[in-house]
Amino acid sequence: MTPLPIRDRAGNALTGFRSVSEAELRRLGGRDVVPAALVVVEHAGSVLMVFDAWRADWELPGGGREPGESARRTAIRELREETGIHGVGLEAVAVAEFDLVAPERHELLAVYRARLRAAPRLLLNDEVLDFLWWPPSDPVREDMSPLDAEIARRVARMPAA
């Protein structure tokens, strides 16, 4: 496990990572406290990474919360929108803490896990240009978010609920 903080090439930093339950995540509060959610999708020892069209790198599926939406609903919606995966069980596993640079801010992101028994049918879209099943034991690629890769590695090491 890489010691924190770690930074990406833009200067954003993953500064913390801690396990949480769904109840703890709900207690953290609303959109201002936890404005986004990420999903670590695991299958056959690998984690699903998506190639983001805007940032041009491999990252975990996820995104920002919409008004009135819980972190869980955000994770479900973003996973469906970015991959086509729906109807799978999501487990709240962690909160990731970031210091971001554009604009400067400190954020907590909800992290969920989906463990799949079969490879899903994945759907490309305007936001996601490709998919990669990445083994977390492999080196982090040059075109991969080191922050998301570290989150994926930490979640992959966590026991099942």
Side-chain angles (χ1 to χ4, degrees), residues 40 42 45-47 133-140 149 152-154 156-157:
V40 177
E42 297 175 300
S46 294
V47 170
W133 287 103
W134 176 68
S137 58
D138 280 5
V140 176
R153 284 181 168 154
R154 289 172 182 243
R157 289 187 191 113

Side-chain angles (χ1 to χ4, degrees), residues 17 69 74 100 124 128:
F17 182 91
E69 191 175 55
T74 299
L100 304 172
L124 296 175
V128 172

Side-chain angles (χ1 to χ4, degrees), residues 49-62:
M49 303 298 275
V50 300
F51 193 79
D52 183 272
W54 184 69
R55 284 182 285 282
D57 66 2
W58 294 99
E59 57 188 36
L60 294 168

Side-chain angles (χ1 to χ4, degrees), residues 38-130:
L38 299 174
V39 183
V40 177
V41 180
E42 297 175 300
H43 171 65
S46 294
V47 170
L48 181 63
M49 303 298 275
V50 300
F51 193 79
D52 183 272
W54 184 69
R55 284 182 285 282
D57 66 2
W58 294 99
E59 57 188 36
L60 294 168
R65 288 171 68 174
E66 293 180 354
E69 191 175 55
S70 68
R72 172 173 288 282
R73 293 294 319 149
T74 299
I76 291 167
R77 177 183 50 76
E78 289 287 342
L79 185 61
R80 185 187 68 249
E81 288 176 2
E82 294 185 3
T83 69
I85 297 173
H86 62 281
V88 299
L90 293 183
E91 171 191 6
V93 291
V95 168
E97 192 170 348
F98 294 89
D99 284 334
L100 304 172
V101 296
E104 277 192 33
R105 64 199 185 279
H106 183 81
E107 286 186 355
L108 301 177
L109 271 66
V111 181
Y112 288 83
R113 173 170 57 191
R115 289 188 161 169
L116 306 181
R117 293 187 182 153
R121 181 171 174 254
L122 300 169
L123 303 173
L124 296 175
N125 57 63
D126 292 341
E127 186 177 353
V128 172
L129 303 180
D130 204 358

